[in-house]
Amino acid sequence: MNATEKLAAYIKVHPGAIGKVVDFDAHTDRLYPLDLTAANTQLTEALVADTEAFSQWITKTLADNNCRYGVGGYMEHRTIYTRSTLFDTDDEPRRLHLGIDIWGDAGTPVYAPLVGTVHSFADNDNFGDYGPTIILQHDLDGLVLYSLYGHLSRKDLNGLQVGQSIGINQQIAGLGNAAENGHWPPHLHFQLMLDIGDANGDYPGVGRYSQMEQYLQNIPDPELILQFADARNN
């Protein structure tokens, strides 16, 4: 089984063990599927390079479509990473997005969807990086799962301790603004991993497209937790 199949098998047996990541009512809230690939011709290089203009574009897109959040990105081959040299490598640039992004207002509460502990945290303060980041560790009847929350507010790291217990639906953070979240429009990068090796407060959220099959063995689809599909404004 790949990573998604392993997590799906646990959820099938324990559906009540899954909580929320953001406040969301499937009956009333609409979600906008943001396409950040080359197919979206609105995303010019100049627009994406200008954080304020990029933020305004997302805010207007959500408002025009009466959507609470913009969502998407799992295993999406994106062009927007040209905005930062962080994603450049000598052989193949990193362009494959490994988690799901939830775009919304700065300060939007972020919750832990599973019982767990604080594995690690850090402020990855580089242009285009995660900014403040929290990684939680979960034990799902022997299946170890890690959840990563990137682009948070700096104050969310205050008082955290490695090993600290976290309850289901406990608020752990809020979306950071562009001045503190790695210089992105406010959003949450939510990612799941079965193995993170010796990672500490950071784990790649963007990888090489040629390695997609390897990532699929370790990185489950976050939609299993979010359960957003029925509310997307298609």
Side-chain angles (χ1 to χ4, degrees), residues 58-186:
I58 289 177
T59 298
K60 184 176 187 302
T61 298
L62 299 187
D64 288 349
N65 290 277
N66 192 30
C67 290
R68 185 168 185 177
Y69 305 112
V71 296
Y74 177 63
M75 297 299 165
E76 183 175 73
H77 192 203
R78 293 177 166 178
T79 53
I80 63 171
Y81 298 118
T82 57
R83 74 192 303 265
S84 172
T85 57
L86 181 71
F87 305 103
D88 293 339
T89 61
D90 291 336
D91 50 357
E92 177 189 353
R94 294 188 295 135
R95 298 290 185 263
L96 183 68
H97 190 252
L98 305 178
I100 281 183
D101 287 334
I102 305 173
W103 306 82
D105 295 332
T108 296
V110 175
Y111 305 90
L114 298 159
V115 171
T117 59
V118 175
H119 173 272
S120 54
F121 53 93
D123 186 357
N124 299 291
D125 188 17
N126 305 295
F127 184 84
D129 211 332
Y130 285 133
T133 310
I134 297 173
I135 298 177
L136 302 183
Q137 182 173 342
H138 316 277
D139 184 347
L140 309 181
D141 283 355
L143 176 66
V144 177
L145 180 72
Y146 299 89
S147 58
L148 181 149
Y149 310 80
H151 309 297
L152 308 175
S153 171
R154 284 205 175 97
K155 65 181 178 59
D156 298 323
L157 304 185
N158 296 336
L160 278 184
Q161 296 183 350
V162 172
Q164 176 181 337
S165 295
I166 301 293
I168 186 172
N169 293 331
Q170 177 179 334
Q171 183 176 346
I172 58 170
L175 301 192
N177 60 45
E180 60 187 351
N181 75 354
H183 302 277
W184 289 97

